[in-house]
Amino acid sequence: MEGRKVSDSETVATHRALPSDANPAGNVHGGVILKHIDLAGAVCAMRHARGHTVVTASIDRMEFKAPAHVGELLILRASVNMVSSRSMEVGVRVESEDLLTGDVRHVASAYLTFVAMDENRKPTPAPPLILENQTHQRRNEEAKRRRELRQEERRREKLAQESMAHAAGSEPVRAKEFY
C-alpha cells in the first residue's frame, strides 16, 4: 500500500459560534467544540484513508485552554500524527478568532484515534504515513508514546475488571478492541 503525506490530509474547518452554541455562562458549550473536533478529525482521517470510511475509537487529552465566545469563529486544524497497523491518531487544535478585532487564541486541543473501515464495516489498514518535516516527526514520536500509554492503561483496566469479576464469581464482559 502506498503511503500518504501528512500534508495530503491536513484539514482546516471553521464554525461561527451562534447563540444556540452557548452554555449557561454565555460561552461556547464544550460539547459543541468537541463535536466540531470530532468532525474535523474524521475529515482528516478519511482524507488519509481515502476510499474508506472511518470511525472514532477514542478521544484523548481533550483540553479546554480558554473560553470561546458567541460570535467568534472557531478554527479547527487537524493532521494525522501516526498510523499503526489498526488505527491512526489525529491531532486537532482549536483556535477562536474575534472577527471584530482579529485577535486569535488557542481554546482547545485533542488527540483522536480513528479506525478505517472496509465496505463490510470491518477494520482495515490505513496507508502508511509519510512524515515531511521535523514537526511531523516530533508529533509522530509523541503519538507513539501516547499509544503505548493507552495500551498500558487498557491492560491495567482489563486486569482490574478480571480481578473484580473473579472476586464476584463471574466472567468479565470483553469489549472488542479495534486499536
PDB file of all heavy atoms in Angstrom, residues 24 66 68 115 127-128:
ATOM      1  N   PRO A  24     -24.803  27.976  29.750  1.00  0.00           N
ATOM      2  CA  PRO A  24     -25.415  28.970  30.650  1.00  0.00           C
ATOM      3  C   PRO A  24     -24.483  30.136  31.020  1.00  0.00           C
ATOM      4  O   PRO A  24     -24.950  31.205  31.391  1.00  0.00           O
ATOM      5  CB  PRO A  24     -25.779  28.149  31.891  1.00  0.00           C
ATOM      6  CG  PRO A  24     -25.991  26.763  31.363  1.00  0.00           C
ATOM      7  CD  PRO A  24     -24.965  26.614  30.273  1.00  0.00           C
ATOM      8  N   ALA A  66      -9.083  27.914  26.993  1.00  0.00           N
ATOM      9  CA  ALA A  66      -9.679  29.239  27.135  1.00  0.00           C
ATOM     10  C   ALA A  66     -11.100  29.170  26.575  1.00  0.00           C
ATOM     11  O   ALA A  66     -11.391  28.323  25.731  1.00  0.00           O
ATOM     12  CB  ALA A  66      -8.863  30.279  26.374  1.00  0.00           C
ATOM     13  N   ALA A  68     -14.362  30.065  24.332  1.00  0.00           N
ATOM     14  CA  ALA A  68     -14.718  30.647  23.032  1.00  0.00           C
ATOM     15  C   ALA A  68     -16.065  31.329  23.239  1.00  0.00           C
ATOM     16  O   ALA A  68     -16.901  30.844  23.999  1.00  0.00           O
ATOM     17  CB  ALA A  68     -14.822  29.559  21.977  1.00  0.00           C
ATOM     18  N   VAL A 115     -10.319   4.499  13.255  1.00  0.00           N
ATOM     19  CA  VAL A 115     -10.097   3.207  12.613  1.00  0.00           C
ATOM     20  C   VAL A 115     -10.743   3.258  11.238  1.00  0.00           C
ATOM     21  O   VAL A 115     -11.914   3.641  11.112  1.00  0.00           O
ATOM     22  CB  VAL A 115     -10.706   2.053  13.451  1.00  0.00           C
ATOM     23  CG1 VAL A 115     -10.572   0.723  12.729  1.00  0.00           C
ATOM     24  CG2 VAL A 115     -10.047   1.996  14.825  1.00  0.00           C
ATOM     25  N   PRO A 127      -3.288   3.672   4.878  1.00  0.00           N
ATOM     26  CA  PRO A 127      -1.965   3.808   4.247  1.00  0.00           C
ATOM     27  C   PRO A 127      -0.915   4.274   5.252  1.00  0.00           C
ATOM     28  O   PRO A 127      -1.232   5.021   6.188  1.00  0.00           O
ATOM     29  CB  PRO A 127      -2.188   4.882   3.180  1.00  0.00           C
ATOM     30  CG  PRO A 127      -3.651   4.915   2.948  1.00  0.00           C
ATOM     31  CD  PRO A 127      -4.290   4.528   4.244  1.00  0.00           C
ATOM     32  N   PRO A 128       0.335   3.865   5.054  1.00  0.00           N
ATOM     33  CA  PRO A 128       1.414   4.369   5.917  1.00  0.00           C
ATOM     34  C   PRO A 128       1.499   5.890   5.817  1.00  0.00           C
ATOM     35  O   PRO A 128       1.102   6.484   4.817  1.00  0.00           O
ATOM     36  CB  PRO A 128       2.668   3.714   5.341  1.00  0.00           C
ATOM     37  CG  PRO A 128       2.185   2.576   4.506  1.00  0.00           C
ATOM     38  CD  PRO A 128       0.817   2.932   4.032  1.00  0.00           C
TER      39      PRO A 128
END
